[in-house]
Amino acid sequence: QVQLVESGGGLVQPGGSLRLSCVASGIIYNVYAMGWYRQAPGKQREMVATNSNGAGTKYQDSVKGRFTISRDNAKNTVYLQMNSLKPEDTAVYYCDGYIRSNQRTGDYWGQGTQVTVSS
């Protein structure tokens, strides 16, 4: 069973920084893409940043220039460096991986990590 586990969330003041990490574990044959999504209270889940083997890196317009996604393929890990954080970045952040495992090929999700930007 493939599992994705996020870490690095927390409370930060506006203008501050956080770095999220997500590690995929289990019987993994290939990781085609990994990314970050977020969901604020009362809103739909939205894409923040993705990195895929074929399509490269994509960002939501509101985080361009502030957030950076990176992957360590050897560790099946994806990071999200978040700088110049704003209160509107407050949300639960979820890691997603499109993975080929011994059971299936498809999306796997982490449990989420809370990011709160507030003074």
Side-chain angles (χ1 to χ4, degrees):
Q1 181 77 6
V2 172
Q3 288 188 322
L4 274 65
V5 179
E6 303 103 333
S7 61
L11 173 64
V12 64
Q13 291 186 342
S17 298
L18 282 175
R19 189 190 193 211
L20 305 183
S21 301
C22 172
V23 180
S25 63
I27 301 177
I28 295 172
Y29 297 144
N30 205 346
V31 179
Y32 298 104
M34 297 190 82
W36 292 94
Y37 294 72
R38 67 187 181 188
Q39 187 168 17
K43 295 187 177 181
Q44 290 188 330
R45 189 174 298 188
E46 60 182 8
M47 185 275 288
V48 176
T50 61
N51 181 289
S52 67
N53 297 348
T57 299
K58 297 180 181 179
Y59 293 94
Q60 182 191 116
D61 285 346
S62 68
V63 307
K64 286 180 181 177
R66 300 189 298 122
F67 291 9
T68 303
I69 188 171
S70 60
R71 283 171 61 185
D72 185 335
N73 293 328
K75 297 180 179 180
N76 291 330
T77 300
V78 64
Y79 305 96
L80 185 67
Q81 178 66 44
M82 305 186 293
N83 299 328
S84 302
L85 282 160
K86 304 175 181 180
E88 51 264 43
D89 294 318
T90 295
V92 178
Y93 284 70
Y94 297 91
C95 172
D96 166 64
Y98 193 80
I99 295 169
R100 183 165 71 98
S101 74
N102 64 319
Q103 293 182 325
R104 64 180 179 90
T105 298
D107 283 298
Y108 290 86
W109 291 90
Q111 80 289 349
T113 185
Q114 177 70 46
V115 172
T116 302
V117 184
S118 175
S119 55

